[in-house]
Amino acid sequence: MNILLWHVHGSWTTAFVQGPHTYLVPVTPDRGPDGLGRARTFSWPASVREVPPEDLREAPVDLVVLQRPHERALAERWLGGRRPGRDVPAVYLEHNAPDGDVPGTRHPCADRDDLTLVHVTHFNRLFWDCGSTPTEVIEHGIVDPGHQYTGRLPRAAVVVNEPVRRGRYTGTDLLPALARAAPLDVFGMGTEGLAAHLGLPEDRCRSADLPQNHLHPAMAQRRLYLHPVRWTSLGLSLLEAMQLGMPVVALATTEAVEAVPAGAGTLSTRPEVLARAVRNYLEDPAAAAEDGARARQAALRRYGLKRFLDDWERVMTEARS
């Protein structure tokens, strides 16, 4: 198939484009949000083709994967009047947990009969009000980074984008107390100045924005992965940490309670319990490695790439039938 989709979520797209199709990714001269083109910090195969909007008018497109509410009108305009869901098969992929009037949040694609709404977690499908629109859940799959864990650094890795702006959503306010249990290395976009924002010494809360090929080895050197997120969809960095072989300490919120099984780390809604678990891993590297090995096996079973691609193949085939 020729599949049109926008570059919205680099990590998710990295897994999706490992399939057997041709992936048409819009590119604009400014490489803005509607025309980012190919990823520059992720490894994508040659089957991902950058396409200027003017070339889409006559392009053969078998399926459109929509990911943002405005993309339906954008696709219709760029495809020369072909309407996603009517003239071209379409699915709408919802990456995020609902925001706003939870649990009564109405999805922008609610009560539609011309597309399938795909959620990335069962939690998201449960909390979005999708009305009569057909829904599916295709859980994440990731490209296995390999068992890289060493845990040689007695520090906790945190991966989050824009922790200052997103604040309580990402549990940024919990970091000062957790930094007393272990020094933190916070990786992600928009993390500069985080220590000063939190009133922490630089050594207790270091920040860096690394490309994925450098991020994974850096994460794996830390003793544990810390996931203090209150309200967001299931972070792919959590699953990547598990597949790297890292033990997990996480808030027991949203889909994390499904993703992290017993023996792979500690889940709790009490920050003091998380802090205690962090200290235990720092003091017992052998236990950290054992829990990390179990985390890796659990993530490979549930979030493997083959299952993910097979699930998408089924949904995309049904959308075109």
Side-chain angles (χ1 to χ4, degrees), residues 92-94 104-111 117 119 128-131:
Y92 189 103
L93 171 63
E94 180 53 70
T105 313
R106 187 85 165 157
H107 196 277
C109 290
D111 293 329
L117 180 52
H119 298 279
W128 275 110
D129 176 8
C130 300

Side-chain angles (χ1 to χ4, degrees), residues 67-78:
Q67 301 172 77
R68 296 168 297 175
H70 75 279
E71 288 180 358
R72 185 171 183 269
L74 189 63
E76 182 176 346
R77 187 166 74 250
W78 287 2

Side-chain angles (χ1 to χ4, degrees), residues 206-265:
R206 301 190 304 211
S207 300
D209 183 7
L210 303 177
Q212 191 182 50
N213 61 334
H214 293 155
L215 174 62
H216 288 162
M219 291 168 61
Q221 293 179 42
R222 275 65 188 174
R223 187 67 50 81
L224 66 129
Y225 184 79
L226 178 62
H227 190 69
V229 178
R230 276 193 182 88
W231 188 263
T232 187
S233 193
L234 182 62
L236 281 168
S237 57
L238 171 66
L239 306 181
E240 291 167 352
M242 293 172 68
Q243 288 198 6
L244 286 165
M246 301 183 73
V248 171
V249 175
L251 277 179
T253 56
T254 63
E255 191 77 359
V257 296
E258 291 282 339
V260 183

Side-chain angles (χ1 to χ4, degrees), residues 189-211:
M189 296 182 292
T191 56
E192 61 276 358
L194 179 60
H197 173 76
L198 296 175
L200 292 171
E202 190 68 31
D203 185 60
R204 301 303 291 186
C205 185
R206 301 190 304 211
S207 300
D209 183 7
L210 303 177

